[in-house]
Amino acid sequence: PKPPVTITLTGAGGQIGYAAMFRIAAGDMLGADQPVALRLLEIPQGMRGAEGAAMELADCAFPLLAGVEITDDPNVGFDGASVAMLIGSRPRTAGMERGDLLAANGAIFGPQGRAIGAHAADDVRVIVVGNPANTNALIAQQHAPDLPPERFTALTRLDHNRAVGLLAAEAGVAVADVGGVTIWGNHSATQYPDLSHATVSGRPALDAVDPAWARGAYVDRVAKRGAEIIEVRGGSSVASAANAAIEHVRDWALGTPDGAWTSAAVVSRGEYGVPAGLVSSFPVVSRGGDWEIVEGLSVDEFSRRRIDASVAELVAERDAVRELGLI
Ligand code: NAX
């Protein structure tokens, strides 16, 4: 058998951590032949939740699960980690100013980035789920200067999957018949789900659905899907978020299917006019264990405006964390 891969989950006592860890231990992320060792990193208040989840993991007797460790020390939590899923964060709550939000997350993602740089495996794959995810990933990356920047990513796969699902429903086809959807920019209300290059059963999506819908109500609905879930379910997206994070890591490690792209927030090298260094969502494929941005797609005027607006928000968040001395 292969040696186990160490996977660190932060916020493991919370909801998304709970929804993710059983599927990871069952082999859904790294494959049915890959043993995994889980590290559950929490803050003191979350330790009991993580301990309870670990007891349930033991009760599943997963053959692939080589061990579970629980800690509230990031230096222990990331030691030897090949995958780091940063789920715990301080999301925005009512009345919270942006400066307070960014400062609270700087206090989490700065030290976690440093601990990853000091202790994780050289080829660690970091995915930030905790909001504001793109800027939290930027903060962590900036605190691990010895690691290649491209080891740090943020989750927009949930937005991508929502966009695929809603397009398939509108066109009346199966999700498997949809391709070429892209999420651009920030995982926030400014994100741009782009159907310019999407296909439905091999035809341009914009021939299969009303283009006015695709650039109006659809964009809004994808961006506000999280709020829609909260309203109907009485709680935020959990299983779908965990699923998206698992798919992001799986595709990153094992590759995307030939001819298909997905969306992920990765460090820009200036592609599509996105300032270098920002963690922004792009169309991506995964080859040889690395994300590659799909280049050369045409960007019309509408798309340009929407991408620029979301990227402007990322620039503002970056400038704010700089001013606060967080990066
Ligand atoms: P929960 O509040 O259920 O769990 C968060 C857990 O993180 C808690 O157990 C808490 O103790 C722990 N935590 C806080 N600070 C920590 C730290 N410094 N180190 C380790 N653990 C820490 O939230 P949950 O529903 O699991 O959501 C987690 C995060 O995902 C939130 O920030 C949320 O906004 C974000 N989301 C991101 C999504 C995305 O697509 N990028 C979608 C879903 C979700 O809203």
Side-chain angles (χ1 to χ4, degrees):
K2 298 181 178 177
V5 168
T6 298
I7 299 162
T8 304
L9 292 173
T10 80
Q15 304 187 87
I16 295 174
Y18 185 81
M21 62 178 79
F22 296 89
R23 291 190 53 198
I24 295 169
D28 285 359
M29 189 164 80
L30 296 181
D33 62 344
Q34 178 58 66
V36 294
L38 292 183
R39 291 274 171 68
L40 309 183
L41 178 63
E42 260 291 350
I43 49 177
Q45 307 89 283
M47 289 292 281
R48 291 289 284 172
E51 283 164 17
M55 289 166 69
E56 284 201 69
L57 278 172
D59 293 350
C60 292
F62 286 119
L64 288 174
L65 187 57
V68 182
E69 278 178 64
I70 309 164
T71 179
D72 58 6
D73 179 351
N75 292 320
V76 175
F78 293 115
D79 189 32
S82 293
V83 177
M85 305 175 76
L86 309 190
I87 300 167
S89 76
R90 178 69 176 84
R92 190 187 288 268
T93 41
M96 203 174 184
E97 299 291 337
R98 184 169 75 173
D100 299 333
L101 174 78
L102 296 174
N105 282 293
I108 296 173
F109 289 87
Q112 289 188 356
R114 252 196 315 279
I116 289 168
H119 302 289
D122 292 341
D123 61 347
V124 63
R125 292 186 168 90
V126 182
I127 171 165
V128 177
V129 177
N131 285 317
N134 300 53
T135 297
N136 288 340
L138 174 70
I139 294 170
Q141 182 271 317
Q142 290 282 312
H143 284 79
D146 294 339
L147 287 175
E150 60 267 21
R151 301 277 106 200
F152 289 81
T153 66
L155 184 72
T156 53
R157 182 62 168 266
L158 177 56
D159 306 300
H160 179 94
N161 288 344
R162 287 167 171 167
V164 169
L166 290 169
L167 171 60
E170 178 74 10
V173 300
V175 287
D177 296 329
V178 166
V181 171
T182 301
I183 304 292
W184 298 92
N186 201 1
H187 167 68
S188 76
T190 67
Q191 67 176 262
Y192 171 45
D194 178 10
L195 297 187
S196 315
H197 301 280
T199 55
V200 167
S201 308
R203 293 192 307 140
L206 295 178
D207 292 345
V209 297
D210 177 5
W213 172 85
R215 303 199 140 186
Y218 173 72
V219 172
D220 250 35
R221 181 129 189 246
V222 173
K224 294 184 183 142
R225 182 69 166 179
E228 192 182 342
I229 298 290
I230 290 173
E231 197 187 308
V232 175
R233 203 186 153 252
S236 58
S237 301
V238 177
S240 55
N243 175 67
I246 287 168
E247 291 187 344
H248 174 111
V249 174
R250 185 197 64 204
D251 285 355
W252 190 358
L254 305 180
T256 41
D258 276 344
W261 76 66
T262 183
S263 304
V266 299
V267 176
S268 173
R269 295 193 180 105
E271 292 89 347
Y272 294 99
V274 179
L278 290 180
V279 179
S280 189
S281 189
F282 287 100
V284 291
V285 295
S286 165
R287 297 267 175 277
D290 293 309
W291 288 121
E292 288 170 17
I293 293 173
V294 176
E295 296 204 68
L297 298 175
S298 60
V299 176
D300 68 14
E301 207 193 316
F302 177 83
S303 294
R304 189 71 263 165
R305 258 189 292 121
R306 296 297 309 222
I307 295 169
D308 287 351
S310 195
V311 169
E313 184 181 48
L314 288 172
V315 169
E317 289 181 13
R318 179 200 61 196
D319 291 350
V321 293
R322 259 193 201 147
E323 261 164 51
L324 290 164
L326 300 173
I327 58 171

